[in-house]
mmCIF file of all heavy atoms in Angstrom:
data_model
loop_
_atom_site.group_PDB
_atom_site.id
_atom_site.type_symbol
_atom_site.label_atom_id
_atom_site.label_comp_id
_atom_site.label_asym_id
_atom_site.label_seq_id
_atom_site.Cartn_x
_atom_site.Cartn_y
_atom_site.Cartn_z
ATOM 1 N N VAL A 1 98.715 106.930 92.047
ATOM 2 C CA VAL A 1 98.208 105.608 92.436
ATOM 3 C C VAL A 1 96.897 105.739 93.203
ATOM 4 O O VAL A 1 95.934 105.000 92.947
ATOM 5 C CB VAL A 1 99.259 104.865 93.280
ATOM 6 C CG1 VAL A 1 98.663 103.606 93.905
ATOM 7 C CG2 VAL A 1 100.466 104.504 92.427
ATOM 8 N N ILE A 2 96.827 106.677 94.124
ATOM 9 C CA ILE A 2 95.601 106.875 94.900
ATOM 10 C C ILE A 2 94.453 107.290 93.987
ATOM 11 O O ILE A 2 93.342 106.753 94.073
ATOM 12 C CB ILE A 2 95.834 107.927 96.004
ATOM 13 C CG1 ILE A 2 96.821 107.399 97.053
ATOM 14 C CG2 ILE A 2 94.508 108.325 96.654
ATOM 15 C CD1 ILE A 2 97.298 108.459 98.027
ATOM 16 N N GLN A 3 94.730 108.223 93.103
ATOM 17 C CA GLN A 3 93.691 108.744 92.220
ATOM 18 C C GLN A 3 93.216 107.717 91.199
ATOM 19 O O GLN A 3 92.010 107.556 90.976
ATOM 20 C CB GLN A 3 94.213 109.980 91.490
ATOM 21 C CG GLN A 3 93.229 110.576 90.470
ATOM 22 C CD GLN A 3 93.827 111.777 89.751
ATOM 23 O OE1 GLN A 3 94.559 112.562 90.351
ATOM 24 N NE2 GLN A 3 93.519 111.912 88.474
ATOM 25 N N GLU A 4 94.154 107.011 90.589
ATOM 26 C CA GLU A 4 93.813 106.109 89.484
ATOM 27 C C GLU A 4 93.376 104.718 89.946
ATOM 28 O O GLU A 4 92.565 104.070 89.285
ATOM 29 C CB GLU A 4 95.013 105.973 88.549
ATOM 30 C CG GLU A 4 95.357 107.244 87.804
ATOM 31 C CD GLU A 4 94.270 107.640 86.813
ATOM 32 O OE1 GLU A 4 93.773 106.756 86.082
ATOM 33 O OE2 GLU A 4 93.917 108.841 86.779
ATOM 34 N N PHE A 5 93.905 104.258 91.060
ATOM 35 C CA PHE A 5 93.656 102.871 91.468
ATOM 36 C C PHE A 5 92.954 102.738 92.816
ATOM 37 O O PHE A 5 92.514 101.647 93.175
ATOM 38 C CB PHE A 5 94.972 102.089 91.480
ATOM 39 C CG PHE A 5 95.679 102.096 90.149
ATOM 40 C CD1 PHE A 5 96.810 102.874 89.944
ATOM 41 C CD2 PHE A 5 95.181 101.362 89.073
ATOM 42 C CE1 PHE A 5 97.453 102.900 88.719
ATOM 43 C CE2 PHE A 5 95.813 101.382 87.840
ATOM 44 C CZ PHE A 5 96.950 102.159 87.656
ATOM 45 N N GLY A 6 92.875 103.822 93.556
ATOM 46 C CA GLY A 6 92.131 103.803 94.805
ATOM 47 C C GLY A 6 92.780 103.024 95.935
ATOM 48 O O GLY A 6 92.110 102.692 96.917
ATOM 49 N N TYR A 7 94.061 102.731 95.832
ATOM 50 C CA TYR A 7 94.738 102.024 96.914
ATOM 51 C C TYR A 7 94.925 102.946 98.120
ATOM 52 O O TYR A 7 95.194 104.143 97.968
ATOM 53 C CB TYR A 7 96.103 101.516 96.464
ATOM 54 C CG TYR A 7 96.087 100.305 95.570
ATOM 55 C CD1 TYR A 7 96.984 100.190 94.505
ATOM 56 C CD2 TYR A 7 95.191 99.258 95.776
ATOM 57 C CE1 TYR A 7 97.007 99.070 93.683
ATOM 58 C CE2 TYR A 7 95.200 98.129 94.955
ATOM 59 C CZ TYR A 7 96.102 98.048 93.919
ATOM 60 O OH TYR A 7 96.120 96.934 93.102
ATOM 61 N N ASP A 8 94.815 102.371 99.293
ATOM 62 C CA ASP A 8 95.051 103.103 100.537
ATOM 63 C C ASP A 8 96.549 103.093 100.829
ATOM 64 O O ASP A 8 97.111 102.057 101.179
ATOM 65 C CB ASP A 8 94.274 102.450 101.680
ATOM 66 C CG ASP A 8 94.517 103.142 103.025
ATOM 67 O OD1 ASP A 8 95.159 104.220 103.034
ATOM 68 O OD2 ASP A 8 94.060 102.606 104.047
ATOM 69 N N LEU A 9 97.174 104.242 100.690
ATOM 70 C CA LEU A 9 98.604 104.365 100.955
ATOM 71 C C LEU A 9 98.852 105.242 102.176
ATOM 72 O O LEU A 9 99.912 105.852 102.313
ATOM 73 C CB LEU A 9 99.328 104.941 99.728
ATOM 74 C CG LEU A 9 99.198 104.145 98.432
ATOM 75 C CD1 LEU A 9 99.957 104.830 97.302
ATOM 76 C CD2 LEU A 9 99.680 102.708 98.602
ATOM 77 N N SER A 10 97.891 105.277 103.062
ATOM 78 C CA SER A 10 97.983 106.161 104.221
ATOM 79 C C SER A 10 98.822 105.584 105.349
ATOM 80 O O SER A 10 99.294 106.323 106.215
ATOM 81 C CB SER A 10 96.584 106.486 104.753
ATOM 82 O OG SER A 10 95.939 105.309 105.235
ATOM 83 N N ARG A 11 99.014 104.269 105.368
ATOM 84 C CA ARG A 11 99.760 103.654 106.465
ATOM 85 C C ARG A 11 101.251 103.602 106.147
ATOM 86 O O ARG A 11 101.648 103.405 105.005
ATOM 87 C CB ARG A 11 99.253 102.236 106.730
ATOM 88 C CG ARG A 11 97.806 102.155 107.202
ATOM 89 C CD ARG A 11 97.424 100.711 107.487
ATOM 90 N NE ARG A 11 97.564 99.876 106.303
ATOM 91 C CZ ARG A 11 97.685 98.544 106.327
ATOM 92 N NH1 ARG A 11 97.707 97.903 107.495
ATOM 93 N NH2 ARG A 11 97.791 97.861 105.214
ATOM 94 N N SER A 12 102.061 103.746 107.168
ATOM 95 C CA SER A 12 103.503 103.595 107.031
ATOM 96 C C SER A 12 103.874 102.121 107.153
ATOM 97 O O SER A 12 103.066 101.287 107.579
ATOM 98 C CB SER A 12 104.224 104.387 108.122
ATOM 99 O OG SER A 12 103.962 103.800 109.391
ATOM 100 N N CYS A 13 105.116 101.802 106.822
ATOM 101 C CA CYS A 13 105.585 100.425 107.009
ATOM 102 C C CYS A 13 105.495 100.023 108.482
ATOM 103 O O CYS A 13 105.142 98.882 108.795
ATOM 104 C CB CYS A 13 107.022 100.283 106.508
ATOM 105 S SG CYS A 13 107.180 100.252 104.706
ATOM 106 N N ASP A 14 105.818 100.941 109.371
ATOM 107 C CA ASP A 14 105.737 100.632 110.800
ATOM 108 C C ASP A 14 104.313 100.311 111.228
ATOM 109 O O ASP A 14 104.098 99.491 112.132
ATOM 110 C CB ASP A 14 106.260 101.806 111.630
ATOM 111 C CG ASP A 14 107.782 101.906 111.601
ATOM 112 O OD1 ASP A 14 108.431 100.913 111.206
ATOM 113 O OD2 ASP A 14 108.310 102.970 111.979
ATOM 114 N N GLU A 15 103.351 100.930 110.585
ATOM 115 C CA GLU A 15 101.944 100.665 110.908
ATOM 116 C C GLU A 15 101.456 99.375 110.270
ATOM 117 O O GLU A 15 100.601 98.672 110.817
ATOM 118 C CB GLU A 15 101.076 101.840 110.465
ATOM 119 C CG GLU A 15 101.289 103.099 111.285
ATOM 120 C CD GLU A 15 100.607 104.320 110.701
ATOM 121 O OE1 GLU A 15 100.615 104.479 109.462
ATOM 122 O OE2 GLU A 15 100.060 105.118 111.484
ATOM 123 N N ILE A 16 101.981 99.032 109.101
ATOM 124 C CA ILE A 16 101.577 97.811 108.399
ATOM 125 C C ILE A 16 102.159 96.576 109.084
ATOM 126 O O ILE A 16 101.476 95.566 109.288
ATOM 127 C CB ILE A 16 102.041 97.850 106.932
ATOM 128 C CG1 ILE A 16 101.301 98.942 106.157
ATOM 129 C CG2 ILE A 16 101.850 96.485 106.259
ATOM 130 C CD1 ILE A 16 101.910 99.238 104.800
ATOM 131 N N ARG A 17 103.418 96.659 109.460
ATOM 132 C CA ARG A 17 104.228 95.502 109.852
ATOM 133 C C ARG A 17 103.631 94.606 110.949
ATOM 134 O O ARG A 17 103.598 93.377 110.785
ATOM 135 C CB ARG A 17 105.623 95.987 110.251
ATOM 136 C CG ARG A 17 106.679 94.915 110.322
ATOM 137 C CD ARG A 17 108.040 95.526 110.630
ATOM 138 N NE ARG A 17 108.584 96.278 109.519
ATOM 139 C CZ ARG A 17 108.753 97.604 109.495
ATOM 140 N NH1 ARG A 17 108.413 98.335 110.553
ATOM 141 N NH2 ARG A 17 109.267 98.198 108.440
ATOM 142 N N PRO A 18 103.143 95.154 112.057
ATOM 143 C CA PRO A 18 102.758 94.276 113.178
ATOM 144 C C PRO A 18 101.666 93.258 112.855
ATOM 145 O O PRO A 18 101.732 92.115 113.317
ATOM 146 C CB PRO A 18 102.286 95.268 114.252
ATOM 147 C CG PRO A 18 102.979 96.546 113.919
ATOM 148 C CD PRO A 18 103.036 96.579 112.428
ATOM 149 N N ASP A 19 100.676 93.647 112.097
ATOM 150 C CA ASP A 19 99.521 92.772 111.856
ATOM 151 C C ASP A 19 99.469 92.203 110.444
ATOM 152 O O ASP A 19 98.492 91.551 110.077
ATOM 153 C CB ASP A 19 98.220 93.540 112.138
ATOM 154 C CG ASP A 19 98.131 94.016 113.573
ATOM 155 O OD1 ASP A 19 98.513 93.244 114.473
ATOM 156 O OD2 ASP A 19 97.700 95.167 113.790
ATOM 157 N N TYR A 20 100.518 92.433 109.670
ATOM 158 C CA TYR A 20 100.507 91.986 108.279
ATOM 159 C C TYR A 20 100.985 90.545 108.187
ATOM 160 O O TYR A 20 102.027 90.183 108.729
ATOM 161 C CB TYR A 20 101.407 92.893 107.437
ATOM 162 C CG TYR A 20 101.358 92.598 105.959
ATOM 163 C CD1 TYR A 20 100.190 92.768 105.229
ATOM 164 C CD2 TYR A 20 102.491 92.139 105.288
ATOM 165 C CE1 TYR A 20 100.151 92.497 103.870
ATOM 166 C CE2 TYR A 20 102.463 91.868 103.941
ATOM 167 C CZ TYR A 20 101.283 92.049 103.234
ATOM 168 O OH TYR A 20 101.246 91.773 101.891
ATOM 169 N N HIS A 21 100.211 89.720 107.504
ATOM 170 C CA HIS A 21 100.538 88.302 107.361
ATOM 171 C C HIS A 21 100.398 87.875 105.903
ATOM 172 O O HIS A 21 99.954 88.643 105.053
ATOM 173 C CB HIS A 21 99.621 87.462 108.260
ATOM 174 C CG HIS A 21 99.771 87.773 109.712
ATOM 175 N ND1 HIS A 21 100.908 87.451 110.425
ATOM 176 C CD2 HIS A 21 98.931 88.404 110.586
ATOM 177 C CE1 HIS A 21 100.777 87.847 111.664
ATOM 178 N NE2 HIS A 21 99.588 88.441 111.798
ATOM 179 N N HIS A 22 100.762 86.631 105.636
ATOM 180 C CA HIS A 22 100.778 86.103 104.271
ATOM 181 C C HIS A 22 99.415 86.255 103.602
ATOM 182 O O HIS A 22 98.409 85.758 104.100
ATOM 183 C CB HIS A 22 101.182 84.626 104.294
ATOM 184 C CG HIS A 22 101.490 84.065 102.947
ATOM 185 N ND1 HIS A 22 102.749 84.098 102.398
ATOM 186 C CD2 HIS A 22 100.699 83.469 102.026
ATOM 187 C CE1 HIS A 22 102.721 83.532 101.197
ATOM 188 N NE2 HIS A 22 101.496 83.148 100.955
ATOM 189 N N ASP A 23 99.399 86.948 102.484
ATOM 190 C CA ASP A 23 98.172 87.162 101.710
ATOM 191 C C ASP A 23 98.578 87.264 100.252
ATOM 192 O O ASP A 23 99.390 88.110 99.891
ATOM 193 C CB ASP A 23 97.455 88.438 102.166
ATOM 194 C CG ASP A 23 96.054 88.577 101.575
ATOM 195 O OD1 ASP A 23 95.906 88.394 100.339
ATOM 196 O OD2 ASP A 23 95.115 88.872 102.328
ATOM 197 N N GLU A 24 98.013 86.404 99.418
ATOM 198 C CA GLU A 24 98.448 86.326 98.022
ATOM 199 C C GLU A 24 97.578 87.138 97.074
ATOM 200 O O GLU A 24 97.686 86.982 95.857
ATOM 201 C CB GLU A 24 98.501 84.857 97.583
ATOM 202 C CG GLU A 24 99.540 84.051 98.360
ATOM 203 C CD GLU A 24 99.614 82.596 97.938
ATOM 204 O OE1 GLU A 24 98.819 82.176 97.067
ATOM 205 O OE2 GLU A 24 100.465 81.863 98.482
ATOM 206 N N SER A 25 96.736 88.003 97.588
ATOM 207 C CA SER A 25 95.903 88.832 96.730
ATOM 208 C C SER A 25 96.638 90.092 96.299
ATOM 209 O O SER A 25 97.533 90.580 97.010
ATOM 210 C CB SER A 25 94.616 89.235 97.458
ATOM 211 O OG SER A 25 94.897 90.122 98.525
ATOM 212 N N CYS A 26 96.254 90.626 95.131
ATOM 213 C CA CYS A 26 96.827 91.909 94.705
ATOM 214 C C CYS A 26 96.504 93.006 95.706
ATOM 215 O O CYS A 26 97.364 93.815 96.058
ATOM 216 C CB CYS A 26 96.259 92.297 93.335
ATOM 217 S SG CYS A 26 97.175 91.654 91.921
ATOM 218 N N GLN A 27 95.255 93.028 96.164
ATOM 219 C CA GLN A 27 94.821 94.137 97.009
ATOM 220 C C GLN A 27 95.479 94.147 98.382
ATOM 221 O O GLN A 27 95.455 95.174 99.072
ATOM 222 C CB GLN A 27 93.301 94.163 97.132
ATOM 223 C CG GLN A 27 92.626 92.881 97.537
ATOM 224 C CD GLN A 27 92.217 91.986 96.376
ATOM 225 O OE1 GLN A 27 93.002 91.776 95.451
ATOM 226 N NE2 GLN A 27 90.998 91.457 96.421
ATOM 227 N N LYS A 28 96.094 93.042 98.781
ATOM 228 C CA LYS A 28 96.800 92.974 100.056
ATOM 229 C C LYS A 28 98.316 92.817 99.871
ATOM 230 O O LYS A 28 99.029 92.491 100.825
ATOM 231 C CB LYS A 28 96.267 91.817 100.902
ATOM 232 C CG LYS A 28 94.842 92.009 101.390
ATOM 233 C CD LYS A 28 94.728 93.143 102.396
ATOM 234 C CE LYS A 28 93.325 93.221 102.980
ATOM 235 N NZ LYS A 28 93.225 94.299 103.995
ATOM 236 N N THR A 29 98.786 93.020 98.654
ATOM 237 C CA THR A 29 100.225 92.937 98.382
ATOM 238 C C THR A 29 100.744 94.178 97.669
ATOM 239 O O THR A 29 101.763 94.747 98.058
ATOM 240 C CB THR A 29 100.557 91.704 97.516
ATOM 241 O OG1 THR A 29 100.030 90.526 98.121
ATOM 242 C CG2 THR A 29 102.062 91.542 97.340
ATOM 243 N N VAL A 30 100.044 94.612 96.628
ATOM 244 C CA VAL A 30 100.532 95.737 95.828
ATOM 245 C C VAL A 30 100.618 97.039 96.630
ATOM 246 O O VAL A 30 101.647 97.731 96.576
ATOM 247 C CB VAL A 30 99.699 95.910 94.545
ATOM 248 C CG1 VAL A 30 100.164 97.132 93.757
ATOM 249 C CG2 VAL A 30 99.791 94.657 93.664
ATOM 250 N N PRO A 31 99.590 97.418 97.402
ATOM 251 C CA PRO A 31 99.727 98.663 98.189
ATOM 252 C C PRO A 31 100.884 98.618 99.174
ATOM 253 O O PRO A 31 101.585 99.623 99.372
ATOM 254 C CB PRO A 31 98.379 98.775 98.910
ATOM 255 C CG PRO A 31 97.427 97.960 98.106
ATOM 256 C CD PRO A 31 98.251 96.827 97.565
ATOM 257 N N GLU A 32 101.097 97.462 99.796
ATOM 258 C CA GLU A 32 102.199 97.315 100.741
ATOM 259 C C GLU A 32 103.549 97.433 100.035
ATOM 260 O O GLU A 32 104.490 98.038 100.562
ATOM 261 C CB GLU A 32 102.080 95.984 101.473
ATOM 262 C CG GLU A 32 100.940 95.911 102.478
ATOM 263 C CD GLU A 32 99.560 95.740 101.847
ATOM 264 O OE1 GLU A 32 99.476 95.469 100.629
ATOM 265 O OE2 GLU A 32 98.554 95.865 102.574
ATOM 266 N N ALA A 33 103.651 96.851 98.847
ATOM 267 C CA ALA A 33 104.894 96.962 98.075
ATOM 268 C C ALA A 33 105.154 98.410 97.670
ATOM 269 O O ALA A 33 106.291 98.891 97.725
ATOM 270 C CB ALA A 33 104.822 96.070 96.841
ATOM 271 N N ILE A 34 104.100 99.107 97.267
ATOM 272 C CA ILE A 34 104.250 100.520 96.895
ATOM 273 C C ILE A 34 104.691 101.332 98.105
ATOM 274 O O ILE A 34 105.542 102.222 97.997
ATOM 275 C CB ILE A 34 102.935 101.058 96.302
ATOM 276 C CG1 ILE A 34 102.631 100.369 94.972
ATOM 277 C CG2 ILE A 34 103.021 102.579 96.095
ATOM 278 C CD1 ILE A 34 101.261 100.701 94.396
ATOM 279 N N THR A 35 104.132 101.038 99.270
ATOM 280 C CA THR A 35 104.514 101.754 100.487
ATOM 281 C C THR A 35 105.988 101.545 100.800
ATOM 282 O O THR A 35 106.704 102.487 101.162
ATOM 283 C CB THR A 35 103.639 101.304 101.666
ATOM 284 O OG1 THR A 35 102.273 101.600 101.378
ATOM 285 C CG2 THR A 35 104.050 102.002 102.951
ATOM 286 N N ALA A 36 106.468 100.305 100.691
ATOM 287 C CA ALA A 36 107.894 100.040 100.917
ATOM 288 C C ALA A 36 108.756 100.832 99.941
ATOM 289 O O ALA A 36 109.794 101.400 100.317
ATOM 290 C CB ALA A 36 108.177 98.545 100.788
ATOM 291 N N PHE A 37 108.327 100.898 98.690
ATOM 292 C CA PHE A 37 109.053 101.689 97.694
ATOM 293 C C PHE A 37 109.052 103.172 98.059
ATOM 294 O O PHE A 37 110.101 103.837 98.021
ATOM 295 C CB PHE A 37 108.445 101.487 96.307
ATOM 296 C CG PHE A 37 108.753 102.596 95.348
ATOM 297 C CD1 PHE A 37 110.059 102.815 94.911
ATOM 298 C CD2 PHE A 37 107.752 103.438 94.888
ATOM 299 C CE1 PHE A 37 110.351 103.864 94.037
ATOM 300 C CE2 PHE A 37 108.036 104.479 94.020
ATOM 301 C CZ PHE A 37 109.340 104.695 93.591
ATOM 302 N N LEU A 38 107.906 103.690 98.422
ATOM 303 C CA LEU A 38 107.800 105.117 98.729
ATOM 304 C C LEU A 38 108.639 105.503 99.952
ATOM 305 O O LEU A 38 109.210 106.587 100.000
ATOM 306 C CB LEU A 38 106.336 105.499 98.959
ATOM 307 C CG LEU A 38 105.414 105.424 97.745
ATOM 308 C CD1 LEU A 38 103.959 105.642 98.161
ATOM 309 C CD2 LEU A 38 105.823 106.445 96.676
ATOM 310 N N GLU A 39 108.729 104.618 100.929
ATOM 311 C CA GLU A 39 109.472 104.922 102.151
ATOM 312 C C GLU A 39 110.973 104.693 102.017
ATOM 313 O O GLU A 39 111.760 105.313 102.727
ATOM 314 C CB GLU A 39 108.953 104.072 103.315
ATOM 315 C CG GLU A 39 107.675 104.579 103.914
ATOM 316 C CD GLU A 39 107.401 103.965 105.277
ATOM 317 O OE1 GLU A 39 108.333 103.454 105.929
ATOM 318 O OE2 GLU A 39 106.232 103.997 105.693
ATOM 319 N N GLY A 40 111.385 103.817 101.141
ATOM 320 C CA GLY A 40 112.801 103.469 101.039
ATOM 321 C C GLY A 40 113.671 104.644 100.652
ATOM 322 O O GLY A 40 113.278 105.478 99.839
ATOM 323 N N LYS A 41 114.856 104.694 101.229
ATOM 324 C CA LYS A 41 115.774 105.818 100.995
ATOM 325 C C LYS A 41 116.691 105.585 99.793
ATOM 326 O O LYS A 41 117.274 106.524 99.255
ATOM 327 C CB LYS A 41 116.630 106.046 102.243
ATOM 328 C CG LYS A 41 115.829 106.311 103.515
ATOM 329 C CD LYS A 41 114.974 107.563 103.390
ATOM 330 C CE LYS A 41 114.345 107.955 104.725
ATOM 331 N NZ LYS A 41 113.345 106.972 105.203
ATOM 332 N N ASP A 42 116.878 104.329 99.413
ATOM 333 C CA ASP A 42 117.669 103.972 98.242
ATOM 334 C C ASP A 42 117.241 102.562 97.838
ATOM 335 O O ASP A 42 116.341 101.980 98.444
ATOM 336 C CB ASP A 42 119.172 104.054 98.515
ATOM 337 C CG ASP A 42 119.620 103.250 99.734
ATOM 338 O OD1 ASP A 42 119.007 102.193 100.019
ATOM 339 O OD2 ASP A 42 120.577 103.675 100.407
ATOM 340 N N PHE A 43 117.889 102.013 96.813
ATOM 341 C CA PHE A 43 117.457 100.703 96.312
ATOM 342 C C PHE A 43 117.492 99.648 97.403
ATOM 343 O O PHE A 43 116.504 98.929 97.637
ATOM 344 C CB PHE A 43 118.335 100.269 95.132
ATOM 345 C CG PHE A 43 117.971 98.912 94.591
ATOM 346 C CD1 PHE A 43 116.952 98.774 93.667
ATOM 347 C CD2 PHE A 43 118.633 97.766 95.033
ATOM 348 C CE1 PHE A 43 116.589 97.518 93.188
ATOM 349 C CE2 PHE A 43 118.279 96.515 94.558
ATOM 350 C CZ PHE A 43 117.255 96.389 93.639
ATOM 351 N N GLU A 44 118.617 99.531 98.091
ATOM 352 C CA GLU A 44 118.740 98.497 99.108
ATOM 353 C C GLU A 44 117.745 98.708 100.246
ATOM 354 O O GLU A 44 117.181 97.734 100.771
ATOM 355 C CB GLU A 44 120.161 98.458 99.665
ATOM 356 C CG GLU A 44 120.359 97.370 100.712
ATOM 357 C CD GLU A 44 121.793 97.220 101.174
ATOM 358 O OE1 GLU A 44 122.714 97.676 100.457
ATOM 359 O OE2 GLU A 44 122.001 96.621 102.260
#
């Protein structure tokens, strides 16, 4: 993802969470969703 799409995946969910607010753009939603996926321990 970093190589092909250039998204910044350097922040953890804990780092994203405090200042993250409603944003309907791909560039402010897709990287955050990928981060949640990467950090999650199982589906739930």
Side-chain angles (χ1 to χ4, degrees):
V1 170
I2 293 169
Q3 177 182 323
E4 293 294 315
F5 302 105
Y7 285 141
D8 178 8
L9 301 180
S10 64
R11 296 182 300 159
S12 67
C13 285
D14 285 344
E15 291 170 321
I16 293 168
R17 196 176 289 112
D19 299 319
Y20 186 64
H21 298 291
H22 191 90
D23 190 312
E24 296 180 357
S25 68
C26 272
Q27 51 270 45
K28 292 293 186 178
T29 306
V30 177
E32 289 76 11
I34 294 172
T35 299
F37 158 67
L38 293 172
E39 281 196 20
K41 303 299 189 293
D42 54 32
F43 178 84
E44 181 174 340

